[in-house]
Amino acid sequence: MEDEELLREKLIKKKALKNKAVRTIALTLVCITLGVIVSFEYKSIIQQQENEQKQVSTKTEAQGRIIELIAEVEALKQSKAELEDKLEILDNGTNEEKIEKLRQENDLLKKFAGLTEVYGQGIVVTLKYDDANDVSVSLSASLIQSLINELKASSAQAISINGERILSMTEVRAVNNYLAVNGTSLYAPYTISVIGSPTSLESSLGVSIKPKFDNFFATYGGSFEVKYENNIHISAYSEEMIENKTNMMFDASKDN
């Protein structure tokens, strides 16, 4: 009898242990399943948030572009009205009015050609070198030329380097430890003054130009600084120097 009771107790304990193991395995499987479900749900929420952020960003960019296009349309309308006004004066105005309009047109052309001193809001870019030697100046010359090209492609209306006016024919090249600009020797640090929309100008430089200068100065030492200015003065380019550069050109229309 005692043996039977012991055997029965062993069977009961064995069954209990088996049931406990089954419950443990089942509980583990449930936990794993819940973990997988929670993980997928978490990823789904994160993905949804990222999509919403992208939609907001895209919407913001679209709104910004719409505002820019509206401004461009208004500027074109103003230009159209000004041109119609000029044509009206040239067609039907008095001689005095025609002369005055031509004088205004000539002044405007001279201003954008860089032949008059100008002022306005914009940015000032300062390039400081820890050691402005032949190598660093030579390597940075192409970066400075890229910077100028980027400014021209943006909203820049007038540019100067260390007071030297930048025109369409202006060259920027390294000669020993200085830059030659319009035939003038310029030494570091270089101050680039730009008249135009400050936010647009800074944005255009921040995308591709500033990181290149940051990498350059990380190697050679120095800094790239940009600040807003409300009253930037840029001097005129000498008309005599332009005449010396263009005296080999002739007006083809006068030969016909």
Side-chain angles (χ1 to χ4, degrees), residues 216-256:
F216 174 84
F217 285 126
T219 301
Y220 293 96
S223 62
F224 179 100
E225 300 174 357
V226 180
K227 65 177 181 179
Y228 289 10
E229 292 284 350
N230 291 322
N231 191 22
I232 297 174
H233 281 257
I234 296 180
S235 59
Y237 186 82
S238 171
E239 291 189 50
E240 292 181 0
M241 294 184 68
I242 290 183
E243 290 176 356
N244 291 335
K245 283 192 173 184
T246 60
N247 61 3
M248 298 301 295
M249 294 191 299
F250 303 96
D251 190 348
S253 63
K254 293 182 179 180
D255 293 337
N256 297 328

Side-chain angles (χ1 to χ4, degrees), residues 108-152:
L108 183 63
L109 291 174
K110 289 178 66 175
K111 181 174 71 173
F112 281 98
L115 303 180
T116 59
E117 182 177 355
V118 293
Y119 70 93
Q121 67 172 349
I123 63 172
V124 175
V125 180
T126 304
L127 307 177
K128 296 180 180 178
Y129 298 70
D130 289 350
D131 181 16
N133 55 38
D134 295 357
V135 175
S136 63
V137 172
S138 178
L139 292 176
S140 66
S142 60
L143 288 178
I144 294 174
Q145 185 65 66
S146 297
L147 184 154
I148 293 171
N149 291 338
E150 193 67 33
L151 291 171
K152 288 180 178 179

Side-chain angles (χ1 to χ4, degrees), residues 10-103:
K10 287 181 179 180
L11 290 173
I12 291 172
K13 289 181 179 180
K14 186 176 180 180
K15 187 176 181 180
L17 290 173
K18 184 178 180 180
N19 291 337
K20 184 177 180 181
V22 170
R23 287 197 301 270
T24 302
I25 294 172
L27 183 61
T28 302
L29 291 175
V30 169
C31 291
I32 292 174
T33 304
L34 287 175
V36 172
I37 293 173
V38 170
S39 176
F40 277 113
E41 188 66 23
Y42 177 76
K43 290 181 179 179
S44 177
I45 293 173
I46 295 298
Q47 184 64 43
Q48 184 178 356
Q49 290 177 342
E50 290 178 352
N51 291 336
E52 290 176 354
Q53 290 176 351
K54 288 180 180 178
Q55 290 176 357
V56 171
S57 177
T58 302
K59 184 178 180 181
T60 302
E61 291 176 359
Q63 289 175 341
R65 182 55 181 161
I66 289 172
I67 293 173
E68 291 179 359
L69 290 174
I70 291 174
E72 290 177 8
V73 169
E74 291 301 320
L76 289 172
K77 286 181 178 178
Q78 183 178 352
S79 297
K80 179 176 178 290
E82 292 174 354
L83 288 172
E84 289 175 345
D85 180 57
K86 292 176 184 178
L87 288 174
E88 177 64 24
I89 292 175
L90 293 175
D91 288 341
N92 304 313
T94 63
N95 289 335
E96 288 78 8
E97 289 174 333
K98 292 179 181 179
I99 292 172
E100 177 60 23
K101 181 58 65 176
L102 290 173
R103 185 191 64 78

